[in-house]
């Protein structure tokens, strides 16, 4: 299908066709990762800005690499060293970048809905790199790509997401994407960290990891415990969390031999997942990071490059 959207704001309203289009393009880009020269002229003359109001290692650097490999000019605006500290609003910052002729703004912000707001008032393509506890579409796309490389189909696959669903934009985007492609999703975590209404998305809520959910999972997706939320007293201690919900060797013994373990990073090793499992054969954490570059190349290609029907890399 030909790409129609100006912006990528979330997976909630992305159709299965649109999702598959991005994943197929990402796979084409991944094919050339082994080449000695990983540079394509696709986005020559285009300018892409990373505008991150929250810290990031993976998302920001992979968007930068993706843009550079596609020959775009990539600018990183360091918010702490910009006119934001003088009180400039988000809209004014975006309009300033727009006036300089940028083609895309990749926005990470702590407030949910900020990319949607900019998409309405700015000409450049807006790409959501994580908005509060709302969505993180390119993380979910790279996760889906990692699964697509392993699974012939998403239909009937059982996914178990463990952790802080309430604050997790990664969990929400993954739930939308996985459900749309046909997977079954169950979530498990402290009751205080499970938002209401998940059943309307076709998601099963499981109270305890010991309720026989590990045995049926094809994918165990471990979320980061957001230490910054601890002050709210949503669970008693990291130690207790680890005891009740941490993925450890004993729990892994109960899983299918071919189970896949994922984590979006950064991980609190020894809390939600042991170091041993994070670096085990079951873990695809490194693959997820690699796929992040391919997915972000595909997103830039379709949103900034004009969305030709297929990726021609020769
Ligand atoms: N997964 C993820 O978004 O990581 P960063 O915060 O490092 O970008």
């Amino acid at each position: 299908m030909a790409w129609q959207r100006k912006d990528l704001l979330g997976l909630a309203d992305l159709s299965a066709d649109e999702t598959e289009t991005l994943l197929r393009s990402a796979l084409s880009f991944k094919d050339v990762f082994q080449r000695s020269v990983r540079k394509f002229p696709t986005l020559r003359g285009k300018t892409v800005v990373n505008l991150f109001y929250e810290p990031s290692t993976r998302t920001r650097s992979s968007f930068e690499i993706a843009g550079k490999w596609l020959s775009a000019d990539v600018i990183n605006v360091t918010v702490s060293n910009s006119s934001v500290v003088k009180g400039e609003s988000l809209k004014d910052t975006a309009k300033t970048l727009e006036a300089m002729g940028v083609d895309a703004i990749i926005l990470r912000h702590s407030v949910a809905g900020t990319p949607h707001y900019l998409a309405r008032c700015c000409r450049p393509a807006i790409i959501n790199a994580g908005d509060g506890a709302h969505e993180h579409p390119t993380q979910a796309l790279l996760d889906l790509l990692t699964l697509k490389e392993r699974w012939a189909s998403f239909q009937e696959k059982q996914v178990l997401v463990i952790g802080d669903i309430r604050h997790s934009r990664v969990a929400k985007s993954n739930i939308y994407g996985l459900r749309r492609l046909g997977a079954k999703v169950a979530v498990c975590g402290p009751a205080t960290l499970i938002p209401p209404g998940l059943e309307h998305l076709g998601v099963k809520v499981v109270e305890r990891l010991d309720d026989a959910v590990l045995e049926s999972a094809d994918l165990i997706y471990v979320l980061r415990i957001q230490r910054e939320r601890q002050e709210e007293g949503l669970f008693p201690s990291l130690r207790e969390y680890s005891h009740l919900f941490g993925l450890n060797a004993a729990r892994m013994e109960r899983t299918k031999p071919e189970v896949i373990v994922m984590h979006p990073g950064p991980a609190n090793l020894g809390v939600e997942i042991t170091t041993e499992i994070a670096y085990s054969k079951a873990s695809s954490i490194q693959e997820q990071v690699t796929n992040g570059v391919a997915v972000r190349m595909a997103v830039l290609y379709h949103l900034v490059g004009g969305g030709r029907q297929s990726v021609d890399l020769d």
Side-chain angles (χ1 to χ4, degrees), residues 73-288:
D73 293 307
V74 183
I75 312 295
N76 290 302
V77 173
T78 309
V79 166
S80 61
N81 204 19
S82 74
S83 288
V84 170
V85 294
K86 300 179 200 161
E88 186 172 66
S89 71
L90 172 65
K91 181 178 174 182
D92 282 346
T93 302
K95 293 302 266 182
T96 301
L97 296 169
E98 176 183 299
M100 293 176 194
V102 311
D103 297 285
I105 298 175
I106 300 157
L107 177 70
R108 172 169 287 190
H109 203 287
S110 59
V111 177
T114 42
H116 306 68
Y117 169 66
L118 283 195
R120 285 193 299 272
C121 63
C122 292
R123 182 196 50 76
I126 304 296
I127 299 169
N128 183 0
D131 63 324
H134 182 220
E135 280 226 44
H136 192 347
T138 57
Q139 176 68 46
L141 287 167
L142 73 88
D143 296 332
L144 294 175
L145 179 65
T146 307
L147 295 170
K148 192 177 170 67
E149 289 183 305
R150 304 272 192 101
W151 294 344
S153 162
F154 285 76
Q155 296 294 330
E156 299 308 309
K157 291 292 185 191
Q158 181 65 62
V159 175
L160 173 64
V161 185
I162 305 174
D164 179 358
I165 316 294
R166 177 174 148 179
H167 297 108
S168 176
R169 51 198 179 204
V170 172
K172 284 164 199 127
S173 289
N174 264 299
I175 287 169
Y176 293 129
L178 286 162
R179 292 290 300 136
R180 190 142 300 127
L181 297 186
K184 296 187 206 163
V185 181
V187 299
C188 184
T192 47
L193 297 179
I194 305 289
L198 286 177
E199 61 281 5
H200 299 304
L201 300 174
V203 173
K204 185 175 163 194
V205 177
V206 182
E207 278 182 24
R208 302 180 323 141
L209 269 188
D210 298 327
D211 288 346
V213 285
L214 289 165
E215 290 77 356
S216 57
D218 298 295
L219 162 67
I220 300 176
Y221 200 108
V222 183
L223 296 172
R224 178 174 78 88
I225 264 301
Q226 306 193 19
R227 289 168 187 254
E228 59 273 26
R229 316 284 180 196
Q230 269 240 79
E231 291 154 22
E232 295 178 29
L234 294 172
F235 58 89
S237 69
L238 289 178
R239 196 171 158 184
E240 178 160 336
Y241 180 88
S242 188
H243 174 66
L244 293 173
F245 299 103
L247 192 59
N248 54 31
R251 292 196 165 116
M252 279 301 283
E253 273 182 23
R254 293 170 38 204
T255 64
K256 294 181 183 176
E258 70 276 17
V259 74
I260 301 170
V261 174
M262 285 186 168
H263 190 300
N268 300 298
L269 297 176
V271 181
E272 67 259 13
I273 187 168
T274 61
T275 307
E276 183 194 15
I277 294 171
Y279 287 97
S280 69
K281 266 176 68 183
S283 164
S284 60
I285 294 174
Q286 292 298 102
E287 234 175 296
Q288 287 171 267

Side-chain angles (χ1 to χ4, degrees), residues 1-16:
M1 61 161 289
W3 192 258
Q4 303 289 344
R5 288 176 190 263
K6 166 183 160 289
D7 313 291
L8 179 67
L9 304 176
L11 260 58
D13 66 342
L14 209 65
S15 69

